[in-house]
């Protein structure tokens, strides 16, 4: 029998935290620590080394963004999943660029939250569909010619790939659109991540929107 995923909950609302603990444990996910503040949350993660830290953005002693940055430095093996009420684009971009692998809203379904924990634990990135739609709308609204105002470090082909990544296309779909193999797409994405100094596709898409690379 495989070991259950372990989590620490960093959330200051006691009733919500208790409900979240019950929800996770009903689905075989162990809650090994709880904390209502940034400071105590970081301490709990350092003590228990969980697979996943679930972090609210509004905490009494600071922003959840502060917690994410500290965890990225002090506990890089723990994946961070933001669970918040905020749909603000600034909060999303700050959280993802600080190191969060996922960003979900508190009104998400049980299946979405549980699936999000499992996804970030497996090294995947996940966004709330509603927040992702806002991000993609911003991307499309700010669309500009491929050679205008772009980061000079990215080649024209890499910018084409990045735009399709931001639209949510997987490697196979990108390959079909650009008439290149999935292996070539993978190489382009690896190059994009390295040049933008980001860890995953979501961070690349967020960076593209924030810095107007496309």
């Amino acid at each position: 029998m495989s070991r259950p995923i372990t989590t620490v909950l960093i959330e200051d609302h006691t009733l919500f935290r208790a409900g979240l603990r019950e929800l996770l444990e009903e689905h075989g996910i162990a809650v090994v620590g709880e904390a209502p503040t940034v400071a105590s949350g970081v301490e709990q993660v350092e003590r228990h080394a969980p697979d996943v830290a679930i972090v609210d953005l509004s905490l009494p002693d600071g922003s959840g963004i502060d917690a994410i940055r500290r965890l990225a430095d002090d506990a890089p093996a723990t994946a961070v999943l933001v669970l918040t009420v905020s749909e603000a684009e600034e909060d999303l971009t700050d959280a993802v660029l600080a190191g969060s692998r996922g960003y979900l809203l508190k009104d998400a379904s049980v299946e979405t939250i549980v699936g999000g924990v499992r996804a970030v634990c497996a090294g995947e990135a996940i966004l709330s569909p509603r927040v992702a739609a806002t991000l993609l709308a911003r991307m499309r609204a700010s669309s500009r010619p491929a050679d205008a105002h772009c980061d000079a470090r990215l080649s024209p082909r890499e910018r084409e790939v990045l735009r399709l990544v931001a639209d949510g296309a997987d490697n196979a779909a990108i390959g079909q659109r650009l008439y290149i193999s999935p292996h070539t797409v993978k190489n382009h994405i690896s190059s994009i991540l390295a040049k933008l100094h980001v860890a995953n596709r979501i961070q690349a898409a967020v960076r593209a929107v924030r810095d107007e690379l496309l």
Side-chain angles (χ1 to χ4, degrees):
M1 185 174 179
S2 61
R3 179 182 69 83
I5 295 171
T6 56
T7 63
V8 163
L9 311 181
I10 306 177
E11 162 67 58
D12 65 324
H13 290 93
T14 304
L15 290 178
F16 183 84
R17 195 170 68 237
L20 182 58
R21 170 191 273 274
E22 182 177 355
L23 178 158
L24 294 173
E25 292 182 340
E26 285 177 353
H27 288 80
I29 297 171
V31 177
V32 296
E34 300 181 28
T37 65
V38 171
S40 60
V42 171
E43 187 274 332
Q44 284 286 304
V45 171
E46 291 177 339
R47 175 185 299 178
H48 297 290
D51 299 309
V52 179
I54 301 176
V55 181
D56 188 13
L57 292 185
S58 179
L59 297 167
D61 62 336
S63 167
I65 305 300
D66 298 328
I68 296 167
R69 291 193 181 107
R70 289 180 59 181
L71 293 176
D73 290 336
D74 299 340
T78 295
V80 174
L81 173 65
V82 170
L83 190 59
T84 180
V85 298
S86 176
E87 299 181 44
E89 183 181 305
E90 181 179 2
D91 286 337
L92 167 63
T93 56
D94 286 349
V96 170
L97 294 175
S100 176
R101 283 190 199 160
Y103 193 102
L104 295 177
L105 300 178
K106 286 185 175 179
D107 63 0
S109 68
V110 170
E111 293 77 12
T112 297
I113 294 172
V114 171
V117 172
R118 290 176 175 155
V120 299
C121 181
E124 300 172 12
I126 185 168
L127 285 183
S128 160
R130 199 155 74 238
V131 175
T134 300
L135 183 68
L136 295 180
R138 160 80 181 276
M139 171 69 75
R140 296 185 182 104
S142 63
S143 178
R144 61 189 70 193
D147 60 351
H149 303 290
C150 289
D151 189 326
R153 294 174 298 175
L154 297 182
S155 70
R157 176 63 88 187
E158 287 169 345
R159 292 196 291 268
E160 289 178 321
V161 170
L162 180 57
R163 181 175 296 283
L164 292 171
V165 166
D167 280 336
D170 61 18
N171 288 4
I174 293 171
Q176 290 175 354
R177 287 281 298 275
L178 300 181
Y179 302 102
I180 57 179
S181 72
H183 178 73
T184 300
V185 174
K186 183 177 179 181
N187 288 340
H188 281 311
I189 290 175
S190 295
S191 177
I192 291 166
L193 298 184
K195 288 181 178 181
L196 298 184
H197 304 289
V198 296
N200 57 55
R201 300 162 76 101
I202 289 180
Q203 288 185 353
V206 168
R207 172 81 186 275
V209 172
R210 188 196 67 174
D211 295 351
E212 299 185 334
L213 301 182
L214 299 174

